[in-house]
Amino acid sequence: FPLAADAVARGAYDAVVVSGGPIEDPLCSGAFATYADRGAAMLRQLGLTAPLLAVAPAPASAQDRTYRSAISVRQWAEAAQRPVTALDVFSHGAHARRTRMLYRMAFGDGVQVGVIAAEPSKYELLRWWTESGATKDHGYVFEVDPFDRRANRDPKPIKALGRYDHEAATVD
């Protein structure tokens, strides 16, 4: 979070939009209803305030949480009448690559999406695949249309095929 606040202060970004769904873990909840609210509070402590800071909470979801967060950010931009031509998403470790892909799907071809990956604190970066914390939300098979991105905006996992320990891609 300090890097984001510093980047906005230097003029590198127009704003920081914090997103995330409800905090359902009783050990993490406390005073905040969503991860977006918690992240915004951390950024406020670093001196970042509106209009440079916006909160776009995502709805509760048992799956597709990152994609739902991306949709919430897109909807915030539309409602605020702030056209987006490029954005960087901040995520952690091995999840960053997937986060970038889902934001690209949510925002479409007209928006350049970059990613800033924070080094994970719960596992060794160079051995991420050996830790369940690095892969627990990954591994489902999705059917996607490689020729029509609009058809892929609301992906659903094919859970009947099971869950795998790592991500892979194939073209048929």
Side-chain angles (χ1 to χ4, degrees):
F1 286 101
L3 293 175
D6 187 49
V8 172
R10 286 183 287 116
Y13 295 98
D14 295 333
V16 173
V17 182
V18 187
S19 190
I23 298 175
E24 297 170 348
D25 183 344
L27 297 174
C28 294
S29 60
F32 306 107
T34 69
Y35 287 102
D37 296 323
R38 189 171 86 172
M42 291 176 183
L43 287 166
R44 283 187 197 99
Q45 288 178 344
L46 296 169
L48 200 59
T49 58
L52 299 176
L53 174 63
V55 182
S61 178
Q63 62 191 34
D64 303 329
R65 291 182 302 273
T66 303
Y67 184 70
R68 300 233 186 250
S69 288
I71 293 295
S72 293
V73 172
R74 188 190 76 209
Q75 290 171 339
W76 169 85
E78 290 166 353
Q81 297 182 342
R82 294 189 66 163
V84 177
T85 58
L87 63 94
D88 287 329
V89 292
F90 180 81
S91 190
H92 59 90
H95 188 66
R97 185 171 161 188
R98 181 174 176 271
T99 299
R100 179 178 181 259
M101 178 196 73
L102 293 171
Y103 270 75
R104 287 178 71 190
M105 286 174 59
F107 277 84
D109 292 332
V111 176
Q112 293 180 0
V113 178
V115 64
I116 300 169
E119 190 167 321
S121 60
K122 294 183 180 179
Y123 54 89
E124 188 179 334
L125 180 62
L126 297 178
R127 295 180 43 78
W128 66 268
W129 67 89
T130 65
E131 303 289 333
S132 64
T135 61
K136 69 179 180 68
D137 294 331
H138 300 70
Y140 288 109
V141 173
F142 292 82
E143 182 177 0
V144 296
D145 185 333
F147 303 106
D148 183 5
R149 288 182 187 251
R150 290 173 298 191
N152 302 326
R153 288 201 175 177
D154 192 23
K156 301 278 187 264
I158 305 171
K159 291 193 173 185
L161 293 176
R163 190 176 155 275
Y164 300 86
D165 289 335
H166 58 276
E167 297 174 50
T170 186
V171 176
D172 184 4

